[in-house]
Amino acid sequence: MSEIEIESRNLDLWYGSAQALKNITMAMPEKKVTAIIGPSGCGKSTFLRCINRMNDLVKDCRITGELLFEGTDVYGNSVDAVELRKKIGMVFQKPNPFPMSIYDNVAYGPRVHGLRNREELDRIVEESLKASALWNEVGDIPDRSAIDLSGGQQQRLCIARTLAVKPKVILFDEPCSALDPISTAKIEDLINTLKHDYTIVIVTHNMQQAARVSDHTAFFLLGELIEFGKTKQIFELPEKKSTEDYITGRFG
Amino acid sequence: MTSLISPATSNRAAKVMLWVSASIAILTLMFILGYIVVQGLPVLTLSFLLESPRLSGAEGGILPAIVGTFCLMLVTLLSAVPIGIGAAIYLAEYAHEGAVTRIISFGVECLAGIPSIVIGLFGYAFLAIYLGFGFSILSGGLALMFMVLPWVVRVSEESLKAVPGGLREASLALGATKWQTVSRVVLPSAVPGITTGVILGIGKAIGETAVIMFTAGSSLLMPTSLFDPVRALPYHLYILASEGISDKMAYGSSVVLLVMVLAINLAAVAIQRHYGRHHVRN
């Protein structure tokens, strides 16, 4: 087993007085794909958003326990959420390109982090669009508005935009739920390629997707981590009854 | 019980009545515009636009009033836009909903409800006398700012709040700071809406008389500094008509005022087009 990149230890999370995550302990290995599955409201997206501290934006959100990234608690006093998010990128459920040109979308991250050199930006934009399998489609129209792209292209642009910041981890929050099957297949192919260079955590409500793209799978139910293991084992020989019920479609 | 009128008949009747309403609205507008233009056109010559008035405005042109109006607008714009947008950004992006935001919002609402003559009086007492700006472009422009500010704040706040939350999240997730997110993503996305608010405000300000007669003065001389008094076009128009100096000249001034308002609106459309090119759809 490869090295552990992200690890949560006894993580609890409350929204006001409602506990959304209960004692989550799991370790996500480097340069592997970890899938988090479970029915709606099970806390899988909430957990994902703990990793890059997006829950900081939520009022009345309280977290206890530890969430280690490269051995450091991301909720420690010395950690700056802005710096953390440069290393842990995120792709969201609904494609959310900025209302700017394709080029400006990809260059946004590097620019925000102070890069001004046009040649360097050109190079990063080209690399990122190639790595997100979008270069062949938009490489010759970088000045077109990102809003004109199809939903699937927009989502790959969002991936390119994330890659441009050169993160170590990419979090995917149900990245295909707004996409058609062909666009979904392209994103899945992309995830299979990206895992050679990045640690990936993907939340999905599509179990076939989890089975196709992930190395490890975690099953969440009502804020608890029910089972975590190799994807093959989870899908073929689940230890817990509720895991089996869920993946065989008996509920959820 | 069935209705006495068949659905087809009421459908036709509704269509006719709606058509009549729309026609009356448009015809009224056309009539007012047409009447003013026809009355004002004979005096509209180049010398009317480029000369100073003689005999209290009965002869000559209206150049100082045009320049005065522009100067007032400029002071109003340059003060209301940064303050208004700043307040809106604070309310929409930074302040947590609570007592403070409610008090600020309530204050803004109240400011919007103050009759313009009261703002004029306040401008006179505070700006002209207390701060010693006298009857001047500065006093008039700032008084107009008090009037315009609530519109700018409210419309800007609404426009900022209408920017999809997903864009903020996307920016923050890329490691942008809150201010980078607000200034590079949220604010540009809100520009079309904010522009509309500013234009509405300026459109009100440019036709305003009560606020400026106590603050900007009524001098017909060409202003040379921010501290010089000016007579804005609507006030010039008011004096020409109310003191029976010249109806012809009053209509001429009205046409110029209308053209200026039209020009501002066209500028707004241009700005909206420019910033709106990445928007809509999906």
Side-chain angles (χ1 to χ4, degrees):
Chain A
M1 194 145 155
S2 50
E3 273 188 53
I4 298 304
E5 179 107 70
I6 305 162
E7 187 177 0
S8 85
R9 289 183 188 160
N10 308 107
L11 193 81
D12 291 306
L13 181 146
W14 287 266
Y15 290 130
S17 58
Q19 188 166 9
L21 292 175
K22 293 171 190 164
N23 200 26
I24 306 293
T25 297
M26 64 185 267
M28 288 147 271
E30 193 182 14
K31 293 187 182 170
K32 298 279 181 206
V33 178
T34 303
I36 303 177
I37 59 170
S40 299
C42 69
K44 55 193 191 300
S45 286
T46 299
F47 178 74
L48 193 74
R49 296 162 78 91
C50 285
I51 300 173
N52 65 343
R53 288 185 53 175
M54 288 305 274
N55 285 324
D56 288 14
L57 310 174
V58 181
K59 216 179 148 193
D60 294 330
C61 174
R62 196 161 51 83
I63 292 165
T64 63
E66 282 179 308
L67 206 150
L68 307 175
F69 168 61
E70 295 179 326
T72 312
D73 187 359
V74 303
Y75 288 95
N77 288 330
S78 61
V79 175
D80 177 6
V82 170
E83 289 299 315
L84 179 77
R85 292 183 195 131
K86 291 182 194 171
K87 294 184 200 139
I88 306 181
M90 188 169 213
V91 176
F92 296 84
Q93 186 170 358
K94 191 168 172 267
N96 53 1
F98 299 129
M100 307 169 181
S101 71
I102 292 167
Y103 184 98
D104 289 342
N105 260 279
V106 183
Y108 181 85
R111 278 176 174 154
V112 155
H113 303 139
L115 185 63
R116 288 282 168 278
N117 183 322
R118 183 75 195 199
E119 282 167 29
E120 184 77 354
L121 282 172
D122 286 349
R123 194 180 57 72
I124 291 175
V125 169
E126 183 174 339
E127 270 177 19
S128 306
L129 287 173
K130 280 179 177 162
S132 64
L134 200 54
W135 180 255
N136 290 337
E137 291 158 62
V138 305
D140 53 344
I141 49 165
D143 295 326
R144 280 271 290 281
S145 172
I147 308 299
D148 293 337
L149 299 176
S150 73
Q153 288 173 324
Q154 286 186 6
Q155 195 62 305
R156 277 178 284 146
L157 181 67
C158 291
I159 294 172
R161 184 173 68 181
T162 302
L163 297 179
V165 180
K166 305 198 185 337
K168 304 191 77 171
V169 178
I170 306 175
L171 309 174
F172 287 89
D173 189 1
E174 300 190 27
C176 303
S177 62
L179 304 182
D180 62 82
I182 293 170
S183 301
T184 299
K186 285 184 182 164
I187 302 275
E188 288 181 9
D189 288 346
L190 194 51
I191 290 172
N192 275 323
T193 317
L194 290 174
K195 75 173 183 184
H196 299 300
D197 299 308
Y198 303 90
T199 302
I200 290 172
V201 185
I202 177 170
V203 162
T204 176
H205 57 218
N206 177 336
M207 279 171 286
Q208 285 72 36
Q209 182 168 70
R212 283 192 297 263
V213 300
S214 70
D215 302 294
H216 298 83
T217 296
F219 172 57
F220 276 51
L221 187 61
L222 299 171
E224 287 181 77
L225 174 62
I226 303 297
E227 192 167 351
F228 177 58
K230 292 238 188 284
T231 298
K232 200 171 155 60
Q233 174 252 312
I234 294 281
F235 278 88
E236 288 171 9
L237 279 171
E239 287 171 7
K240 302 275 170 60
K241 176 86 169 56
S242 55
T243 311
E244 190 184 347
D245 287 350
Y246 182 69
I247 58 180
T248 52
R250 238 164 276 170
F251 73 93
Chain B
M1 207 182 107
T2 53
S3 168
L4 293 172
I5 307 167
S6 78
T9 312
S10 65
N11 188 37
R12 228 168 314 160
K15 204 170 162 185
V16 169
M17 280 194 291
L18 295 173
W19 185 84
V20 169
S21 303
S23 305
I24 290 173
I26 290 166
L27 285 176
T28 311
L29 182 69
M30 303 268 278
F31 179 72
I32 295 174
L33 284 178
Y35 188 79
I36 291 170
V37 170
V38 168
Q39 295 284 324
L41 222 47
V43 296
L44 265 190
T45 57
L46 209 55
S47 63
F48 181 71
L49 296 176
L50 297 179
E51 277 178 20
S52 286
R54 292 186 303 274
L55 302 174
S56 300
E59 285 178 25
I62 54 165
L63 184 62
I66 294 176
V67 172
T69 300
F70 266 114
C71 293
L72 289 170
M73 261 169 47
L74 213 61
V75 171
T76 306
L77 259 182
L78 292 180
S79 53
V81 168
I83 297 173
I85 294 179
I89 291 176
Y90 177 75
L91 288 172
E93 304 290 328
Y94 286 86
H96 294 291
E97 295 276 330
V100 178
T101 54
R102 275 200 297 276
I103 290 169
I104 296 176
S105 300
F106 182 67
V108 169
E109 301 276 324
C110 285
L111 197 55
I114 298 175
S116 56
I117 189 78
V118 177
I119 291 185
L121 201 62
F122 171 77
Y124 171 74
F126 181 68
L127 298 166
I129 305 296
Y130 183 75
L131 292 182
F133 295 159
F135 285 137
S136 64
I137 293 171
L138 193 60
S139 295
L142 292 180
L144 286 172
M145 182 265 278
F146 295 143
M147 202 190 78
V148 168
L149 202 53
W151 263 265
V152 178
V153 173
R154 210 185 310 161
V155 179
S156 303
E157 191 187 347
E158 293 304 318
S159 311
L160 290 167
K161 283 183 172 168
V163 175
L167 295 183
R168 292 182 184 82
E169 288 195 328
S171 172
L172 293 170
L174 290 166
T177 61
K178 175 133 187 175
W179 174 241
Q180 285 171 329
T181 301
V182 168
S183 60
R184 297 181 188 214
V185 176
V186 182
L187 197 54
S189 302
V191 162
I194 292 175
T195 310
T196 312
V198 171
I199 296 302
L200 281 176
I202 293 298
K204 270 176 72 75
I206 194 176
E208 182 53 51
T209 314
V211 170
I212 52 172
M213 55 197 237
F214 291 143
T215 52
S218 70
S219 164
L220 281 172
L221 297 176
M222 189 63 85
T224 54
S225 88
L226 273 182
F227 295 97
D228 280 352
V230 288
R231 182 189 292 184
L233 269 175
Y235 191 34
H236 183 58
L237 201 161
Y238 169 74
I239 291 176
L240 288 179
S242 67
E243 297 187 2
I245 295 169
S246 167
D247 280 356
K248 258 190 0 204
M249 291 300 198
Y251 281 113
S253 307
S254 309
V255 175
V256 174
L257 192 57
L258 284 176
V259 170
M260 284 173 81
V261 172
L262 192 69
I264 293 174
N265 282 302
L266 289 177
V269 172
I271 294 172
Q272 286 177 334
R273 285 250 172 88
H274 176 76
Y275 278 95
R277 75 203 135 105
H278 292 296
H279 287 274
V280 287
R281 279 176 289 253
N282 85 347

